[in-house]
Amino acid sequence: MQKPNILLIYTGGTIGMIKDADTGTLRAFDFDSILTRIPEIRLLDCNIETISFDEPIDSSNMNPKYWADIAQIIEVNYQTFDGFVVLHGSDTMSYSASALSFMLENLAKPVIFTGSQLPIGDLRTDAKENLITSIQMASLQKDGLPVIREVGLYFEYKLYRGNRTTKINAEHFEAFESFNYPNLAESGVHLNINKEYLLRVKSTDQLIVRTKMNTNVGILKLFPGISKALIETILNCKALEGLILETYGAGNATTEDWFVELLKNAISRGLHIINVSQCAGGSVNMGQYETSSKLKSIGVISGKDITTEAAIAKLMYLLGEKISHKEFKTVFETSLRGELT
Ligand code: ASP
């Protein structure tokens, strides 16, 4: 049997950073030195090639243009490689994994995002395990076909569905969590794949890469005491086409008339408003409480149990694809890549 071909795509992040001797701050450095720092990689049972952003970035500088670059690298190399590992800063990794899951329609090969909390040169680094196991996950094959056929995120012994993750910790090695969907795999003495949770996709459909993301979107987090002036200003922003409204609990918000009226008018003017809970676990259920039934009746879209990261990426994607007004709510509330239950 032929060894799988894996493409490592290096975008930047702590994994490949070094400490500036003068200032003590971490900054990106060139990718070749990463490979020389982990000679074990050469022992893996696969062929590895690498490609790097010309200027590696801290993922706080990530944007839809870079997402399109990653998607295009995958598109160009799709036939030649059996799996892809994207090295990415952890700060915005959940946004990028979500965005790529939408951009890569009919994906039938693994695209595994990973990174680390400590640079690869650090004695206590978590980079080695994350990188090596991500490559192994991307190399898994059964009957000549890849086992994982979706965008995953691997960090600290767990493989998650990428668009279900959230960065939850800036200190612990266990930096990510998937509150509303089980792990796709765990790495212990053995690699344990939870097959029943993997996305089932037909490998015969052709990969379609969709990179038109519309950034006329926003996220508004509610809090007790939020002012009418603030909400009014945001909703009246001319450029705004879609808004993620982060509500309380199961999708609840104040029932004050001014609030409901402002949302109602914005929706009738054509703004898409999506209800996503501030709670990391559980689902929006409009109509369960009186404090959400008005939102339902004025046409607010339910984000169900989607993460904010996946919701904003899905919103950019659907607006970019110019989904009609009539269909927008139904399409948003439908799972496209396993991002909601
Ligand atoms: N600031 C870094 C980044 O997101 C953090 C990391 O890589 O973990 O690029």
Side-chain angles (χ1 to χ4, degrees), residues 19-279:
K19 232 183 208 144
D20 187 293
D22 300 327
T23 62
T25 53
L26 287 170
R27 59 174 171 75
F29 75 132
D30 77 291
F31 187 66
D32 291 341
S33 3
I34 291 193
L35 292 182
T36 50
R37 278 172 204 260
I38 317 189
E40 297 93 320
I41 284 190
R42 315 220 177 269
L43 302 175
L44 287 166
D45 204 16
C46 56
N47 305 312
I48 299 174
E49 282 187 37
T50 59
I51 192 161
S52 171
F53 273 15
D54 293 340
E55 302 246 345
I57 56 164
D58 183 299
S59 78
S60 303
N61 285 317
M62 189 45 72
N63 62 40
K65 167 77 185 67
Y66 288 126
W67 291 338
D69 291 345
I70 301 171
Q72 269 144 13
I73 292 174
I74 293 171
E75 182 176 29
V76 169
N77 293 285
Y78 197 66
Q79 296 312 327
T80 319
F81 290 88
D82 302 295
F84 303 85
V85 173
V86 183
L87 297 175
H88 191 291
S90 64
D91 287 348
T92 61
M93 199 188 290
S94 294
Y95 291 92
S96 296
S98 299
L100 265 292
S101 76
F102 296 114
M103 286 177 157
L104 303 172
E105 188 175 335
N106 299 332
L107 178 72
K109 296 188 177 183
V111 173
I112 313 287
F113 278 75
T114 195
S116 65
Q117 291 282 57
L118 285 176
I120 212 147
D122 195 292
L123 268 185
R124 294 173 49 251
T125 189
D126 51 333
K128 275 192 188 183
E129 201 285 317
N130 287 347
L131 178 54
I132 288 173
T133 310
S134 294
I135 296 172
Q136 286 185 320
M137 295 274 183
S139 305
L140 291 174
Q141 299 209 334
K142 184 149 194 287
D143 305 326
L145 289 174
V147 172
I148 295 151
R149 303 173 186 196
E150 58 179 293
V151 177
L153 187 155
Y154 183 82
F155 225 87
E156 195 62 5
Y157 304 110
K158 288 183 190 133
L159 178 71
Y160 311 96
R161 172 162 301 155
N163 59 30
R164 290 291 194 147
T165 61
T166 300
K167 183 171 178 184
I168 49 144
N169 207 304
E171 165 72 22
H172 294 166
F173 287 143
E174 195 159 351
F176 289 88
E177 188 53 89
S178 165
F179 287 100
N180 286 330
Y181 198 74
N183 304 333
L184 302 182
E186 285 108 25
S187 155
V189 174
H190 298 105
L191 294 186
N192 260 327
I193 311 296
N194 303 319
K195 287 201 191 71
E196 65 276 32
Y197 299 128
L198 297 175
L199 211 57
R200 278 175 247 272
V201 277
K202 279 197 272 155
S203 49
T204 45
D205 291 345
Q206 228 200 319
L207 177 76
I208 304 171
V209 176
R210 303 186 185 274
T211 54
K212 290 179 282 185
M213 300 297 257
N214 180 332
T215 54
N216 293 329
V217 294
I219 300 175
L220 174 60
K221 181 171 183 160
L222 297 183
F223 56 89
I226 191 166
S227 72
K228 182 177 175 189
L230 177 75
I231 296 186
E232 205 162 24
T233 308
I234 292 174
L235 293 179
N236 286 336
C237 169
K238 286 263 175 328
L240 196 65
E241 293 177 52
L243 181 72
I244 306 297
L245 186 68
E246 277 204 357
T247 57
Y248 312 122
N252 307 317
T254 174
T255 48
E256 283 177 276
D257 288 342
W258 64 263
F259 175 74
V260 180
E261 272 310 297
L262 280 179
L263 295 191
K264 193 174 160 193
N265 291 339
I267 292 170
S268 61
R269 286 198 312 268
L271 184 73
H272 301 290
I273 300 184
I274 295 100
N275 188 344
V276 175
S277 176
Q278 293 176 17
C279 292

Side-chain angles (χ1 to χ4, degrees), residues 262-321:
L262 280 179
L263 295 191
K264 193 174 160 193
N265 291 339
I267 292 170
S268 61
R269 286 198 312 268
L271 184 73
H272 301 290
I273 300 184
I274 295 100
N275 188 344
V276 175
S277 176
Q278 293 176 17
C279 292
S283 181
V284 163
N285 183 4
M286 285 192 284
Q288 183 182 353
Y289 290 89
E290 197 196 346
T291 43
S292 66
S293 41
K294 280 194 184 148
L295 301 183
K296 187 176 183 176
S297 66
I298 62 173
V300 169
I301 298 167
S302 175
K304 302 185 184 176
D305 62 350
I306 201 168
T307 61
T308 297
E309 293 88 334
I312 196 77
K314 188 172 186 176
L315 187 54
M316 287 187 205
Y317 168 67
L318 295 183
L319 288 171
E321 287 300 316

